[in-house]
Amino acid sequence: MRAAVHRAYGPPDVVRVEEVPTPVPGAEDVLVRVHAATVSVTDGTARSGSPTFSRLFFGLRRPKWTVLGSEFAGVVEAVGSGVTRLRVGDEVVGITGPDFGAHAEYVRVHQDSALAPKPANLDFAEAVALVDGTALAFLRDRARLRPGQTILVNGASGSVGSAAVQLGRHFGARVTGVCSTPHLDLVRDLGADTVLDYTREDFTRAGQTYDVVFDVAGTSSFGRCRRVLNPTGRYLSPVPSPSLLLQMPCTAAFGRRKAIIAFTGLRKAAEKSRDLLLVRELAEAGTFRPVIADRYPLERITEAHRHLERGKYGNIVVTMTGAG
Ligand SMILES: NC(=O)c1ccc[n+]([C@@H]2O[C@H](COP(=O)([O-])OP(=O)(O)OC[C@H]3O[C@@H](n4cnc5c(N)ncnc54)[C@H](OP(=O)(O)O)[C@@H]3O)[C@@H](O)[C@H]2O)c1
């Protein structure tokens, strides 16, 4: 099969499309013919090996996993003898384990991996752009967002942020989205009640307060956001920083305003599957829609990585079949 392979850390050019052996499913495995996969911020970090501390996870001297890609949409091609949950021909969306492998024509996953039926009303590229469950886990489980509350999403045009804006509305909150000038209309269309342009104003000085600040971009801090948090407000970010790692246990023990970080990617597969099912329901009901910055065929995956380096809004998708 063809796959995007990288054997050394470096710029987008380290990724080459090569012929590699097609994975063989074991008794409990499912082989999925991948139609579309995202090229995510995590893929960029794993490819570049930057920041350097990320190599503790991705491989100290060279990449541990040579085929990247975690989120995929495709069709079940083969199943092992012990597989009961899925059948050949099922259209699915899913998330690989920490070992990646979705930037390829086929990916092998365990039947208990994060998998759900593809939303019927979306093509494969659109479906995979909904897969990142980070925003859902953050808003529901960590922020415990309730109807009538207020949330500010900093980085509202990105892959996690665009989902957070829509899910915030779904949970009945009033949503303020922060992004750059070219993306104000997009964020408004996604359902934000208010949009702020970070190139023109600093939301921490705009005089509004919120129950939740979800700093997806990681460009602010708990210290700066304290003044815009309501007395029991929560500051959440998916971007780790030394100060946030320190503030989290401190604010858990003392004070009413909380600083929270979570690595939602490390949640159990069963939890991710449940989230995928909810995301699918919302997509089919038309209350959650994907945001795609661009689609690239597998042959042009290096360009997809270059796009990632320049900065993106929404999701970058690589398609294996040409059809998306
Ligand atoms: N902990 C976890 O489990 C987990 C899971 C997924 C992602 N993450 C992390 O979450 C972060 C966001 O991921 P993503 O996929 O959503 O990234 P993304 O799609 O690249 O989005 C980043 C967004 O940040 C915005 N931005 C850039 N500079 C900004 C600023 N100064 N102020 C406000 N917004 C700014 C950009 O908006 P404009 O384009 O409008 O400028 C862009 O839309 C990444 O660091 C990623 O590694 C963590």
Side-chain angles (χ1 to χ4, degrees), residues 41 134 154 157-160 180 183 198 216-217 219 238 262-265 312:
V41 173
T134 303
N154 184 39
S157 57
S159 129
V160 178
S180 62
H183 300 137
Y198 69 76
V216 186
T219 53
F263 298 101
T264 52
K312 67 173 172 79

Side-chain angles (χ1 to χ4, degrees), residues 40-42 45 71 132 134-135 138 153-162 178-184 187 198-199 203 215-220 237-240 261-266 308 311-316:
S40 69
V41 173
T42 307
T45 306
E71 299 149 1
D132 189 345
T134 303
F138 261 100
V153 180
N154 184 39
S157 57
S159 129
V160 178
S162 61
V178 181
C179 60
S180 62
T181 320
H183 300 137
L184 293 172
V187 174
Y198 69 76
T199 66
F203 74 85
D215 183 9
V216 186
T219 53
S220 194
S237 180
V239 184
I261 182 167
F263 298 101
T264 52
L266 302 178
L308 195 62
K312 67 173 172 79
Y313 72 92
N315 293 271
I316 298 172

Side-chain angles (χ1 to χ4, degrees), residues 203-284:
F203 74 85
T204 66
R205 303 206 168 269
Q208 281 297 321
T209 59
Y210 305 92
D211 297 304
V212 176
V213 171
F214 186 20
D215 183 9
V216 186
T219 53
S220 194
S221 66
F222 176 64
R224 287 176 57 209
C225 289
R226 195 190 278 272
R227 59 179 167 257
V228 298
L229 284 175
N230 288 335
T232 56
R234 290 164 177 246
Y235 169 88
L236 297 99
S237 180
V239 184
S241 69
S243 56
L244 189 51
L245 287 168
L246 202 66
Q247 284 153 349
M248 190 162 138
C250 292
T251 60
F254 309 103
R256 295 167 72 204
R257 295 181 178 91
K258 305 293 178 195
I260 301 169
I261 182 167
F263 298 101
T264 52
L266 302 178
R267 287 173 309 141
K268 292 195 176 89
E271 284 175 48
K272 292 186 191 174
S273 288
R274 275 199 297 276
D275 287 354
L276 285 178
L277 285 171
L278 177 58
V279 161
R280 171 190 180 233
E281 253 175 52
L282 296 177
E284 289 188 341

